[in-house]
């Protein structure tokens, strides 16, 4: 729909309040909405109204394209010095027998398993192990690159990096420089959780602060390492907390333009200390994607992490602002399966992922980590 047709549709819609109409006007005319307006959208915007706005922004930025990439995950360990209340995955060092610790050789075997398979990215994230330090991981990355020189290494959340730098007694800049020199290309978006300091203290007590998370990403961007950003939602936060979180990211993006994508992560409540907190509904998930798309006007992409929300909601999300459904993953990403994700053994072949996108009338585009087009699958009839 054009801006004009959207504007006239709204003008005549008597059931939409003037307050919402004025926000819609801003969106259709390309203006940024304020923090207050973001909260109003969450509180008063009905799902279909939000969907029209979010889809307008989504199609303006990314047309009919839906991105995915071919990647695999390495989770070095689930031993963690922290004890986030929402985490179902981590084990303390004293519970070592319930956890895992991969050796460098075991991790390199995972890389070798993909010999001859055209993956473009390896995603390395795990618990914060007290004995796996900066130089250990720098060596790992160097060896990964020796096996697969062209692969993009997206590794370590700001939480893991903050701990590594502290232990090694180096600044964020020095630590990231060492990892970059050993072959790390970018940072994933994890560890952001919710930036509000009061809530963060309650659910993610002693790990790096919001300020430190943002500083790590700012430093990475200054070194030419792009990153992603996440937000854990649907737990004890309210709408103001969500918009505050997004606003801090929007402000940093204005400064650095180093974020590739924003990934809302739905809180799952199985097997953790917050199992008493009910999970958000699918309607809430879609509202959250839509408001994220509308509010985060300087982020090019909004990603739905399909193993977490499941294939059907991932398909629906493509009409509510999402333009990326992450990767074809055929190993077990345990951080979600242990928390009760929709997909217990997340695995989709490229053919299945392409079909999932085509089924809802969008164009499947395989991308690399920084959104270069690897292959346009929209015209493919026989898929590999
Ligand atoms: O920071 C942990 C989340 C994150 C639960 O950058 C949970 O491309 C829901 O950040 N319910 C780590 N979420 C994973 C992550 C990620 C995932 C996919 C792609 C990218 C990317 C990054 O997982 C943690 C935390 O927010 N998490 N436990 C749970 N119970
Ligand atoms: Fe450790 Fe990350 Fe789990 Fe927190 S979310 S306990 S930092 S693995």
């Amino acid at each position: 729909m054009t801006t004009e047709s959207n504007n006239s549709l709204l003008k005549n819609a008597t059931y939409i309040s003037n307050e919402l109409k004025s926000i819609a006007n801003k969106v259709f005319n390309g203006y940024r909405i304020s923090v207050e307006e973001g909260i109003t959208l969450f509180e008063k915007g009905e799902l279909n109204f939000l969907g029209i706005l979010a889809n307008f922004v989504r199609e303006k930025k990314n047309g009919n394209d839906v991105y995915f990439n071919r990647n695999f995950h390495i989770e070095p360990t689930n031993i963690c010095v922290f004890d986030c209340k929402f985490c179902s995955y981590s084990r303390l060092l004293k519970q070592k027998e319930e956890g895992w610790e991969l050796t460098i050789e075991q991790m390199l075997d995972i890389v070798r398993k993909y010999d001859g398979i055209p993956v473009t990215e390896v995603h390395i994230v795990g618990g914060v192990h007290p004995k796996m330090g900066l130089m250990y991981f720098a060596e790992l990355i160097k060896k990964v690159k020796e096996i697969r020189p062209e692969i993009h290494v997206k590794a370590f959340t700001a939480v893991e990096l903050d701990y590594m730098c502290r232990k090694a007694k180096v600044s964020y800049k020095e630590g990231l420089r060492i990892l970059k020199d050993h072959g790390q290309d970018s940072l994933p978006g994890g560890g952001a959780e919710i930036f509000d300091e009061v809530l963060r203290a309650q659910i993610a007590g002693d790990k790096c602060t919001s300020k430190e998370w943002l500083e790590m990403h700012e430093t990475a961007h200054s070194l030419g390492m792009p990153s992603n950003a996440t937000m854990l939602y649907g737990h004890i936060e309210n709408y103001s907390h969500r918009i505050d979180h997004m606003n801090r990211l929007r402000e940093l993006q204005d400064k650095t333009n180093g974020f590739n994508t924003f990934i809302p992560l739905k809180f799952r409540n199985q097997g953790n200390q917050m199992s008493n907190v009910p999970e958000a509904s699918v309607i809430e998930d879609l509202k959250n994607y839509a408001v994220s798309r509308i509010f985060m006007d300087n982020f090019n992409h909004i990603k739905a992490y399909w193993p977490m929300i499941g294939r059907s909601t991932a398909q629906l999300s493509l009409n509510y602002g999402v333009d990326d459904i992450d990767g074809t993953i055929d190993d077990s990403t345990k951080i979600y399966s242990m928390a009760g994700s929709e997909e217990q053994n997340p695995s989709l072949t490229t053919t299945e992922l392409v079909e999932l996108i085509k089924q809802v009338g969008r164009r499947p585009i395989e991308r690399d980590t920084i959104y270069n087009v690897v292959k346009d699958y929209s015209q493919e009839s026989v898929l590999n």
Side-chain angles (χ1 to χ4, degrees):
M1 261 200 202
T2 63
T3 306
E4 290 78 48
S5 55
N6 274 316
N7 279 341
S8 68
L9 190 88
L10 273 175
K11 228 187 240 160
N12 302 324
T14 47
Y15 52 89
I16 298 173
S17 70
N18 286 338
E19 188 183 24
L20 287 175
K21 276 185 187 168
S22 119
I23 299 176
N25 242 316
K26 271 185 148 178
V27 175
F28 292 141
N29 290 292
Y31 294 108
R32 172 169 283 191
I33 67 164
S34 68
V35 164
E36 293 69 31
E37 288 166 333
I39 298 169
T40 301
L41 285 184
F42 264 131
E43 286 177 346
K44 302 184 182 163
E46 174 267 328
L47 179 62
N48 289 337
F49 169 80
L50 296 177
I52 291 172
L53 264 55
N55 204 43
F56 174 83
V57 179
R58 181 238 192 273
E59 291 189 353
K60 197 164 138 196
K61 284 188 185 286
N62 293 297
N64 203 19
D65 295 350
V66 177
Y67 295 96
F68 67 94
N69 71 338
R70 294 210 223 188
N71 64 2
F72 64 96
H73 287 228
I74 298 178
E75 295 179 301
T77 182
N78 68 337
I79 306 293
C80 189
V81 297
F82 299 119
D83 183 27
C84 302
K85 302 294 173 258
F86 54 82
C87 184
S88 321
Y89 158 93
S90 68
R91 296 292 179 269
L92 295 168
L93 195 57
K94 62 181 184 223
Q95 305 164 302
K96 205 171 151 186
E97 56 297 339
E98 292 173 32
W100 70 87
E101 292 165 301
L102 301 185
T103 62
I104 298 256
E105 235 358 86
Q106 285 171 320
M107 292 190 261
L108 296 179
D109 280 343
I110 298 177
V111 180
R112 290 188 194 102
K113 217 175 81 188
Y114 290 88
D115 267 357
I117 302 175
V119 285
T120 59
E121 173 189 285
V122 53
H123 179 159
I124 311 176
V125 168
V128 180
H129 195 294
K131 292 184 184 145
M132 292 179 177
L134 182 70
M135 291 319 296
Y136 178 85
F137 284 124
E139 277 308 303
L140 169 69
I141 290 172
K142 188 164 156 244
K143 288 180 174 153
V144 168
K145 281 281 171 89
E146 280 165 12
I147 297 173
R148 223 41 215 254
E150 79 298 345
I151 207 159
H152 182 109
V153 176
K154 181 177 77 181
F156 313 125
T157 64
V159 175
E160 294 167 273
L161 292 165
D162 169 74
Y163 189 83
M164 282 181 219
C165 291
R166 275 174 206 278
K167 271 230 139 167
K169 296 194 171 39
V170 295
S171 66
Y172 288 173
K173 197 167 200 160
E174 289 163 330
L176 285 169
R177 165 73 61 203
I178 291 170
L179 291 167
K180 186 172 189 230
D181 289 346
H182 282 76
Q184 181 169 340
D185 298 292
S186 68
L187 275 58
E193 320 314 356
I194 195 82
F195 288 148
D196 178 86
E197 279 74 13
V198 175
L199 294 194
R200 193 174 182 84
Q202 285 174 35
I203 67 168
D206 36 8
K207 70 187 191 187
C208 81
T209 62
S210 310
K211 207 164 151 262
E212 287 163 342
W213 191 98
L214 290 162
E215 191 190 328
M216 184 66 75
H217 283 254
E218 183 168 359
T219 310
H221 299 169
S222 77
L223 293 172
M225 298 166 89
S227 69
N228 292 334
T230 57
M231 173 178 76
L232 185 70
Y233 73 93
H235 45 90
I236 56 171
E237 89 292 357
N238 62 32
Y239 291 143
S240 313
H241 297 129
R242 287 190 208 172
I243 292 290
D244 164 63
H245 186 99
M246 292 186 214
N247 192 44
R248 296 195 209 190
L249 291 170
R250 194 170 77 170
E251 283 175 355
L252 181 54
Q253 180 75 330
D254 277 342
K255 223 164 135 186
T256 65
N257 201 28
F259 288 114
N260 281 328
T261 181
F262 179 58
I263 315 161
L265 294 173
K266 176 193 179 104
F267 164 68
R268 306 306 305 239
N269 69 3
Q270 274 179 37
N272 54 49
Q273 297 167 66
M274 290 170 64
S275 294
N276 59 321
V277 177
E279 291 179 358
S281 67
V282 173
I283 291 180
E284 193 56 40
D285 295 333
L286 297 175
K287 271 181 81 169
N288 191 64
Y289 285 123
V291 176
S292 303
R293 180 58 289 169
I294 298 162
F295 189 82
M296 309 288 269
D297 61 345
N298 54 4
F299 276 65
N300 287 334
H301 305 284
I302 304 288
K303 178 151 96 179
Y305 191 58
W306 70 262
M308 179 60 97
I309 55 169
R311 295 158 211 227
S312 310
T313 309
Q315 277 182 319
L316 261 176
S317 74
L318 300 178
N319 271 16
Y320 291 85
V322 168
D323 64 281
D324 188 326
I325 50 174
D326 204 71
T328 53
I329 301 161
D330 63 8
D331 71 341
S332 44
T333 312
K334 298 194 187 64
I335 198 153
Y336 303 113
S337 52
M338 289 167 79
S341 56
E342 295 303 315
E343 308 276 345
Q344 281 304 301
N345 291 303
S347 169
L348 274 184
T349 62
T350 304
T351 311
E352 288 168 327
L353 205 56
V354 163
E355 280 310 307
L356 188 143
I357 296 165
K358 281 189 168 177
Q359 247 183 9
V360 292
R362 300 271 190 198
R363 278 159 49 94
I365 308 286
E366 183 185 345
R367 61 159 175 89
D368 65 12
T369 311
I370 53 171
Y371 290 84
N372 293 310
V373 174
V374 175
K375 188 167 174 180
D376 175 352
Y377 281 86
S378 57
Q379 302 306 320
E380 294 270 316
S381 50
V382 182
L383 303 162
N384 59 355

